[in-house]
């Protein structure tokens, strides 16, 4: 009986370099499935790309050029909301794949297990959101999207602690804060199907933040550094944004992200972390 031929790194790289959205989500799910079934070799013999392949549409714009969504109850506002969420989940597929492929060799099999399962979840989330858009008469790519979502990955490509600190423990944790409000607003407009999608995403994102926090803390302990202090220093250096309350303390706690990490960082509504230029 012969062993698996393709390396896990090569399979991940191929998924990252798949531009078409539906093909990418299938590629991500297939990598996760093959890994789970033991059909990929534990080898990191190819490098991850500097950036993933994305489709020609949507047009990517800086935040200040993004059009206003309009009121949430209007058709235009609903489509803009679901499109923005779909883009976040589309980029999240690549964030999870890159995490596993770039750092898996140094972090171990459990790390790859966790982040390939995250990639499969994000692919499922994207499929749900794209289907939602199609029911509204639109589709992913029909509107412009935020161009900065890969920036955090690029800037932390040489440091697994920095990547974990910023992507799961800041960006995804922010989703834990804002998704319940969005879910409730969608439900108030009579969209129970949309509310169910957002609840599913919220439930999964708690697990994703838990994975990030678990591996961050373990790496800090291996390196002999204090996890909350290390996190604060890395976020100051690598996160170009604000940490704004209110925080969803219960969801963050369920994800293992205690107030010991973020409680003293943002003391007011406009608190901003310093960062290196």
């Amino acid at each position: 009986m012969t062993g698996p031929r393709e390396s896990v790194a090569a399979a991940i790289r191929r998924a990252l370099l798949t531009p078409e959205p539906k093909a990418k989500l299938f590629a991500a799910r297939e990598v996760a499935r093959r890994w789970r079934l033991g059909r990929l070799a534990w080898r990191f013999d190819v490098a991850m790309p500097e950036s993933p392949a994305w489709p020609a549409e949507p047009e990517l714009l800086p935040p200040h050029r993004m059009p206003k969504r309009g009121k949430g109850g209007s058709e235009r506002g609903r489509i803009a909301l679901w499109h923005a969420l779909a883009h976040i989940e589309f980029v999240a597929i690549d964030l999870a794949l890159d995490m596993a492929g770039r750092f898996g060799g140094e972090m171990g099999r459990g790390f790859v297990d966790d982040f390939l399962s995250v990639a499969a979840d994000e692919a499922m989330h994207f499929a749900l959101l794209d289907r939602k858009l199609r029911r509204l008469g639109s589709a992913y790519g029909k509107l412009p999207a935020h161009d900065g979502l890969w920036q955090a990955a690029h800037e932390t490509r040489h440091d697994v602690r920095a990547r974990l600190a910023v992507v799961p423990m800041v960006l995804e944790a922010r989703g834990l804060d804002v998704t319940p409000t969005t879910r409730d607003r969608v439900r108030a407009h009579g969209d129970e199907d949309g509310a169910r999608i957002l609840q599913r995403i919220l439930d999964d994102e708690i697990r994703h933040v838990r994975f990030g926090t678990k591996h961050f803390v373990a790496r800090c302990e291996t390196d002999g550094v204090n996890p909350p202090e290390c996190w604060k220093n890395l976020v100051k250096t690598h996160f170009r944004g604000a940490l704004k309350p209110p925080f969803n303390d219960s969801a963050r706690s369920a994800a293992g992200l205690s107030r010991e990490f973020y409680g003293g960082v943002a003391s007011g509504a406009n608190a901003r972390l310093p960062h290196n230029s």
Side-chain angles (χ1 to χ4, degrees):
M1 180 177 178
T2 60
R5 293 182 176 85
E6 186 175 31
S7 72
V8 65
I12 291 170
R13 179 182 170 88
R14 191 173 62 256
L16 283 165
L17 293 177
T18 301
E20 197 276 322
K22 186 173 288 187
K24 187 184 289 284
L25 78 88
F26 281 124
R29 293 172 70 174
E30 180 66 4
V31 172
R33 187 183 72 86
R34 290 174 67 200
W35 172 251
R36 190 176 66 251
L37 295 174
R39 295 176 182 171
L40 293 171
W42 177 256
R43 293 197 315 274
F44 291 83
D45 50 350
V46 297
M48 295 302 106
E50 285 293 292
S51 58
W54 289 349
E57 294 179 329
E59 179 187 9
L60 300 179
L61 299 176
H64 67 276
R65 289 187 54 206
M66 286 291 294
K68 300 294 184 183
R69 288 184 191 170
K71 294 184 178 179
S74 69
E75 181 179 2
R76 175 187 169 192
R78 289 196 303 272
I79 290 172
L81 168 66
W82 294 111
H83 192 277
L85 294 172
H87 183 61
I88 290 169
E89 297 297 328
F90 180 72
V91 177
I93 299 170
D94 286 327
L95 288 171
L97 288 170
D98 188 79
M99 184 81 85
R102 188 173 298 273
F103 301 113
E106 64 179 284
M107 294 295 289
R109 289 180 179 271
F111 186 90
V112 176
D113 290 345
D114 287 345
F115 283 101
L116 286 184
S117 77
V118 170
D121 286 347
E122 307 294 18
M124 183 268 291
H125 297 166
F126 174 78
L128 291 172
L129 293 164
D130 187 53
R131 190 181 308 147
K132 179 72 172 174
L133 280 168
R134 292 178 187 279
R135 286 198 293 266
L136 292 170
S138 187
Y140 179 62
K142 298 294 186 183
L143 298 178
H146 193 311
D147 74 345
L149 294 178
W150 186 255
Q151 181 181 359
H154 183 74
E155 291 187 0
T156 58
R157 64 195 183 279
H158 301 307
D159 184 346
V160 67
R161 291 189 319 201
R163 176 68 68 84
L164 290 165
V166 173
V167 175
M169 298 175 72
V170 171
L171 299 180
E172 287 199 88
R174 186 59 180 158
L176 306 185
D177 303 331
V178 302
T179 301
T181 302
T182 306
R183 176 202 60 205
D184 294 346
R185 187 169 67 246
V186 164
R187 179 172 284 137
H189 286 123
D191 185 357
E192 191 58 40
D193 170 68
R196 283 195 298 269
I197 292 172
L198 291 172
Q199 184 62 53
R200 174 61 187 270
I201 291 173
L202 176 62
D203 292 342
D204 289 342
E205 298 295 352
I206 290 172
R207 188 172 70 259
H208 300 173
V209 176
R210 187 185 306 124
F211 287 158
T213 305
K214 174 184 72 174
H215 290 291
F216 178 81
V217 169
R219 181 58 182 255
C220 287
E221 291 174 347
T222 296
D223 294 343
V225 296
N226 177 269
E229 290 304 315
C230 181
W231 180 82
K232 290 171 187 175
N233 290 333
L234 289 167
V235 172
K236 286 177 183 179
T237 302
H238 295 286
F239 180 59
R240 300 173 180 271
L243 288 186
K244 297 180 179 180
F247 299 118
N248 186 345
D249 290 332
S250 63
R252 284 169 173 255
S253 178
L257 190 58
S258 70
R259 287 193 66 86
E260 188 179 6
F261 284 90
Y262 62 89
V265 173
S267 58
N270 295 314
R272 182 171 292 276
L273 289 168
H275 60 76
N276 294 344
S277 300

